[in-house]
Every structure is written in C-alpha cells, then in structure tokens.
C-alpha cells in the first residue's frame, strides 16, 4: 500500500512504492538489489528537512530511524596507524543533535554548524549544508571516509587517495568477508574528492580567504549507511 511521504515543512510530498526502515548494511544491500530486480529505484532519506525535491521518489524509500547511534569504534581493523585525526566513525542516519553530545563526551566537536541540528549526517553531507564563516567549509568537507551501497548491492569504501584506511588491511578483511557467504564484499576505490572545486569561487577576495587545496578534514568520518539514492538500474 502506497503511503504519502512529506518533508518537514510539508511543501514536498511523494507516494513511494514502499517505505522501509533498514536496520543494517545487509538490509541496505537487499534494498538496492530488490529495486534492481523490480526495475525501480531505491532512495534513503534523512530527517526530511530539505525544502527542495531532493528526497522525493516514487520507488523504494528507506527511512534512517534504525541507522543511527553514537560513535562507532573508530578502528574497524583497517585504520591506518598514521591516519591522524581526531576522527569519529558514525552511522549515516545519525541526527546532528545525537552526534553533538556523543562527540562532546569524547572531547570532540564539530568545527561549525548550520542553524539547526535535526538533520542527519548523510543529509547534511549530501546537500552541502553549511553554517556561516568564510574559513569553514560545508559539512561534506568534514567527511574523510564513506561506506556506500551502490548499484548491484556492492559496498564501496570511498576515500581520498592516501585516506585513513590501510589498503592492505582492508584487502585482508575483504578476503575474510568473502569466506562468509551471504555477506556483502567491501571493495575499495581510491578517489580524490573535488580537489579543484574551490577554484570555482568567483569573488577574488573570497578566494584569497579559502585554503588552496580545501580545508583539511578535522573531525568526522562517516560510517556505513549511505545508499545510492534514486539511481535507476540499467
Ligand atoms: C529548520 C531548518 C534549518 C536549516 N538550516 C540550514 C542551515 O543553517 N544551513 C544549510 O545549509 N541548510 C539548512 N537547512 C537545510 C538542511 O540542512 C538540508 O536540507 C539537509 O539536507 C537536511 O538533511 P536531512 O537529514 O533532513 O536530509 P533529507 O532532507 O531527508 O535528505 C536530503 C538528501 O540527502 C539524501 N540522503 C539522506 N540520507 C541519505 C543516506 N543515508 N544515503 C544516501 N542519501 C541520503 C536524500 O536522498 C536527499 O537527497 C535547514 C533546514 C531546516 C528545515
């Protein structure tokens, strides 16, 4: 039965084929594979706070109610010894208002905030939510590592080249996972994230204030739970 989904302000609605609440990475993998079998789309939403139509779908919609929590163990067995930091590993559906006290308890804090704290980490990272201040980047600048479920239900860890994950340890973990049938196999692709994007800042005065290669990520590493929203299978 189709139910109507609404954003926070009620100016955006849609009627997804089904609304689900995945509770694990495996559930997200199943969701994407099911969408492909049924030749529809899968989209994970956050806290419904976007005013635009970015979260709308007629396909399978996943709510993040069970993809949230405090800080996860930072070292998943693959953290590089010289990774630097401080970092935190967090589930993508964690609302900022749950993340902030968890960071505080660990002696950490976000360097900047927008004007609200109900949004989820994946929501603010994927829409470039920002606060004020020319020297502070938007939320995606804080993300140094992401586990993402992509087409085919493949789980990919995405990081800048030379990221926080030890590639050799990650390959070993992947081989171990391969010996457990039914578990998704993590794969790693190294990518630079938008290294040149800041060159697009038009105002020369503003550009002078911005770091040449983008601000160094300082606090937050996002954990599993992102899904490839809205991508139609081939
Ligand atoms: C009261 C209020 C104050 C605000 N203040 C600010 C502000 O100060 N600065 C600012 O820049 N913006 C602000 N915003 C806008 C808001 O921060 C963004 O719209 C943000 O994206 C909302 O996050 P959300 O968790 O609600 O995500 P949603 O709106 O639910 O989703 C946003 C997008 O993220 C995607 N997404 C969410 N979770 C996942 C996931 N797990 N995997 C894959 N994709 C995912 C969705 O598919 C969608 O495309 C404000 C909004 C409100 C309502």
């Amino acid at each position: 039965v189709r139910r109507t989904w609404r954003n926070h302000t009620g100016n955006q609605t849609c009627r997804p084929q089904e609304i689900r609440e995945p509770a694990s990475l495996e559930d997200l993998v199943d969701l994407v594979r099911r969408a492909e079998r049924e030749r529809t789309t899968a989209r994970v939403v956050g806290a419904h706070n976007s005013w635009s139509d970015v979260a709308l779908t007629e396909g399978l919609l996943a709510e993040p109610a069970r993809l949230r929590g405090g800080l996860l163990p930072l070292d998943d067995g693959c953290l590089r010894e010289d990774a630097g930091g401080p970092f935190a590993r967090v589930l993508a559906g964690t609302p900022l208002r749950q993340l902030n006290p968890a960071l505080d308890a660990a002696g950490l804090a976000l360097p900047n905030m927008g004007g609200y704290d109900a949004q989820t980490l994946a929501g603010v990272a994927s829409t470039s939510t920002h606060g004020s201040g020319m020297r502070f980047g938007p939320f995606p600048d804080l993300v140094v590592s992401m586990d993402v479920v992509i087409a085919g239900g493949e789980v990919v860890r995405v990081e800048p080249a030379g990221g926080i994950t030890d590639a050799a340890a990650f390959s070993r973990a992947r081989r171990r996972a391969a010996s457990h049938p039914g578990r998704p196999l993590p794969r790693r692709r190294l990518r630079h994230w938008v290294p040149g994007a800041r060159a697009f800042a038009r105002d020369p005065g503003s550009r002078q204030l911005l770091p040449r290669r983008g601000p160094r990520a300082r606090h937050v590493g996002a954990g599993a739970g992102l899904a490839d929203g809205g991508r139609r299978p081939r």
Side-chain angles (χ1 to χ4, degrees):
V1 179
R2 284 187 186 252
R3 279 186 289 141
T4 300
W5 183 94
R6 287 186 169 74
N7 72 340
H8 173 75
T9 38
N11 66 317
Q12 300 286 348
T13 59
C14 61
R15 293 195 40 98
Q17 183 182 324
E18 195 176 315
I19 300 179
R20 300 190 68 91
E21 283 190 6
S24 64
L25 185 60
E26 285 76 11
D27 286 355
L28 285 168
V29 169
D30 286 347
L31 185 85
V32 171
R33 288 184 177 157
R34 185 183 146 200
E36 290 184 340
R37 275 198 311 277
E38 298 181 7
R39 302 199 65 74
T40 183
T41 57
R43 179 180 290 276
V44 185
V45 299
H48 304 207
N49 282 166
S50 289
W51 294 291
S52 75
D53 61 0
V54 280
L56 303 186
T57 181
E58 298 294 316
L60 306 177
L61 184 147
E63 295 280 8
R66 297 196 286 169
L67 296 172
R68 59 172 63 181
L71 306 189
L72 302 174
L74 177 61
D75 188 358
D76 62 349
C78 306
L79 188 69
R80 253 184 39 209
E81 266 180 34
D82 57 348
F87 301 114
R89 193 177 293 276
V90 189
L91 288 173
T94 303
L96 298 180
R97 60 177 52 157
Q98 188 176 2
L99 174 63
N100 282 334
L103 287 175
D104 188 38
L108 298 170
L110 295 169
N112 198 12
M113 281 282 296
Y116 197 39
D117 64 356
Q119 307 98 314
T120 61
L121 190 58
V124 292
S126 52
T127 58
S128 220
T129 294
H130 53 86
S132 59
M134 292 302 296
R135 292 176 192 278
F136 295 103
F139 268 97
D141 280 7
L142 301 176
V143 179
V144 297
S145 177
M146 275 197 303
D147 288 352
V148 189
V149 183
I150 63 166
E154 185 187 357
V155 183
V156 184
R157 176 161 296 184
V158 189
E159 290 183 6
I164 64 168
T165 296
D166 178 331
F170 193 82
S171 299
R172 285 195 295 276
R174 182 167 182 254
R175 281 197 294 276
R176 277 199 301 277
S179 60
H180 291 81
R183 289 180 64 179
L185 302 186
R187 282 206 197 145
R188 185 167 195 243
R189 292 180 196 162
L190 292 176
R191 278 190 199 159
H192 289 283
W193 286 353
V194 289
R198 281 169 187 276
F200 289 108
R202 293 221 178 107
D203 170 37
S206 313
R207 210 155 55 197
Q208 270 183 352
L209 289 170
L210 296 170
R212 270 177 196 273
R213 303 187 59 186
R216 292 176 70 80
R218 277 167 297 204
H219 289 79
V220 175
L226 292 169
D228 186 28
R231 192 164 151 189
R232 191 168 284 282
R234 283 184 298 276

